[in-house]
Amino acid sequence: MSQPLAQPLSGIRVADFSHVMAGPFATHLLCLMGAEVIKIEPLKGDGFRNYGSNRDFDGMSPAFVAANVGKKSIALNLKDPADLEIARRIVGKSQVLVENYRPGVIDRLGLGYDAVRQFRPDIVFCSVSGYGQNSPQRNWPAIDNIVQATSGMMMLSGAEGEPPVRVGFPIVDTLTGQTAAVAILGALMQRERTGQGAYIDVSMLEASMAFMTSALTPYLVTGTALKRLGNTGYSELPTAGLFVARDGRHISLGVVQENQFVQLARLLGQDQWLADPRYATTDARRANFAAMVAELEAILVTRDAAEWERLLSEAGIPCGMVRRVDEAAQLCDPAALLDVHLPNVPISSHQGNGHVAVPNAGFRMTPGNPGTSQPPPVIDGNRDEILAWLDADD
């Protein structure tokens, strides 16, 4: 099952024992960069295949599609000796193994790191879990919203005195998957130099804490926890926040640098702000937060949000209209999306013929641009191909 060497990870094969989102998102990114990902699923398939309330998409739920395009699937019962042997053979011909079982499960199945490196000593083996393989909380169950709670993330959004606020998408799953993908890339580069494999332990908690460095590091340095700022930016400035425009839509300002404030004052016809001791410096604007906000509110309510977005952005002043996801999708460059056929799902989409758009890897590169045109696999859909490949190489 060789592939042409066109993308950075072409020629790399990944034995993917992961399920749901964090692990599959890691292998998804590797797949978009050219790796061949063999998804080893339980006989009933990855539980994410039927995720959500729309039964029309069972087997190919949007959540599953989001992290599994371009992969190949074989369904195995790893407690069955014959199926376990197939899994071992796949691992033996792979450079990377990714799993996100509860800590200890992969070892009990006979496919832990120590067992695998006996027959594939240079394996890059990545374990993804909630709290890490050796932490006191290693056996605690964890999903995205749980780690949003335990990591402190929920207490960063919202304002002081308000209830905790969950980030509105599974951010912990995706940031953990991205962290795992970066670690795997580093291990592959290390193996190129040394010939040695590596064991990678990625926890959702530690990945989240690293991702939250702009909130965590100030506490570690000063000993004081960050205040909850609601819709005000990290700068704590009144010119970096949310405002209502004439049409009732919101705009977000991000005026945090002195030259930006000068441009804002002049564009709004408020040159007197530049000499006003209440607003002349960033510290003064913080000290007179409410007064500055009140002046901005009175002006920004005089035009529609889209007009402010255009006027301010064209003047070099950071401003964006708050959009729903469906509106943001229309703003997205089509080159940042993949056109993927969705097999065996009765779907009518704006593209027609069962095709859907899926976000690409989030970056572009020349040569070796990421992406795939291959669909997500049906359960066990590549069994014959995989078994034939294993037998042919024996």
Side-chain angles (χ1 to χ4, degrees):
M1 294 193 299
S2 61
Q3 296 179 332
L5 297 175
Q7 292 177 292
L9 295 183
S10 294
I12 297 294
R13 184 174 297 114
V14 180
D16 184 4
F17 292 85
S18 67
H19 55 283
V20 186
M21 192 62 183
F25 190 70
T27 57
H28 170 68
L29 294 174
L30 301 179
C31 183
L32 292 179
M33 287 187 279
E36 180 182 26
V37 178
I38 300 176
K39 188 174 180 69
I40 295 106
E41 303 189 66
L43 299 183
K44 292 184 178 180
D46 185 333
F48 237 32
R49 284 185 175 275
N50 303 326
Y51 195 80
S53 59
N54 191 335
R55 299 280 66 84
D56 289 342
F57 287 86
D58 277 358
M60 282 288 169
S61 74
F64 177 81
V65 172
N68 288 283
V69 295
K71 300 179 183 179
K72 299 175 180 178
S73 169
I74 185 168
L76 300 173
N77 175 8
L78 296 179
K79 294 181 179 179
D80 177 86
D83 278 6
L84 180 60
E85 180 58 26
I86 292 171
R88 283 200 184 99
R89 293 170 68 195
I90 293 170
V91 172
K93 298 182 184 303
S94 300
Q95 290 80 27
V96 178
L97 184 154
V98 178
E99 62 90 14
N100 65 344
Y101 297 114
R102 290 269 196 96
V105 170
I106 194 79
D107 296 284
R108 292 196 293 273
L109 290 170
L111 288 170
Y113 179 58
D114 288 337
V116 167
R117 64 178 177 169
Q118 297 302 311
F119 60 90
R120 183 76 206 221
D122 62 347
I123 193 75
V124 172
F125 192 115
C126 180
S127 293
V128 179
S129 64
Y131 297 98
Q133 301 297 308
N134 299 300
S135 76
Q137 299 83 23
R138 71 189 296 265
N139 293 319
W140 290 9
I143 61 173
D144 180 274
N145 64 293
I146 299 302
V147 180
Q148 283 201 35
T150 59
S151 67
M153 188 179 294
M154 284 187 178
M155 291 301 289
L156 292 175
S157 297
E160 292 290 342
E162 293 181 352
V165 179
R166 171 187 167 271
V167 177
F169 70 100
I171 186 173
V172 171
D173 281 341
T174 47
L175 72 86
T176 300
Q178 191 170 62
T179 300
V182 170
I184 290 166
L185 293 175
L188 287 172
M189 289 191 66
Q190 177 176 263
R191 194 180 65 175
E192 284 293 310
R193 294 196 305 269
T194 68
Q196 296 181 332
Y199 180 73
I200 302 166
D201 178 2
V202 179
S203 83
M204 296 167 73
L205 178 66
E206 289 185 2
S208 296
M209 300 302 276
F211 198 73
M212 291 157 51
T213 183
S214 57
L216 178 60
T217 302
Y219 162 71
L220 296 174
V221 171
T222 68
T224 302
L226 219 62
K227 292 189 300 183
R228 299 175 73 192
L229 299 172
N231 288 313
T232 299
Y234 184 55
S235 66
E236 300 183 49
L237 285 166
T239 51
L242 214 57
F243 297 89
V244 180
R246 180 173 60 191
D247 55 357
R249 299 291 298 265
H250 289 82
I251 58 170
S252 180
L253 280 186
V255 177
V256 297
Q257 298 176 15
E258 199 57 38
N259 66 310
Q260 294 169 345
F261 180 70
V262 172
Q263 290 171 305
L264 177 69
R266 289 175 176 165
L267 186 143
L268 298 182
Q270 304 296 317
D271 293 63
Q272 72 275 8
W273 288 351
L274 305 178
D276 190 325
R278 297 175 301 164
Y279 309 139
T281 68
T282 53
D283 286 341
R285 293 194 287 278
R286 288 190 188 96
N288 294 278
F289 189 98
M292 180 87 268
V293 166
E295 295 216 38
L296 286 167
E297 286 176 338
I299 297 169
L300 295 174
V301 78
T302 63
R303 295 177 185 258
D304 290 351
E307 187 177 1
W308 280 126
E309 180 182 57
R310 178 182 58 80
L311 286 172
L312 295 172
S313 297
E314 289 177 354
I317 300 166
C319 173
M321 184 173 73
V322 176
R323 289 172 169 82
R324 301 186 307 270
V325 171
D326 59 315
E327 294 176 309
Q330 303 307 312
L331 191 68
C332 186
D333 186 336
L337 301 175
L338 303 172
D339 177 21
V340 177
H341 176 66
L342 202 59
N344 298 346
V345 175
I347 181 174
S348 61
S349 73
H350 65 280
Q351 297 183 27
N353 300 317
H355 282 254
V356 297
V358 177
N360 205 338
F363 66 90
R364 303 179 196 184
M365 184 165 68
T366 304
N369 200 51
T372 180
S373 61
Q374 297 302 308
V378 297
I379 300 173
D380 207 32
N382 303 98
R383 168 177 287 271
D384 292 344
E385 175 190 0
I386 291 169
L387 293 181
W389 158 69
L390 288 173
D391 291 340
D393 282 359
D394 283 346

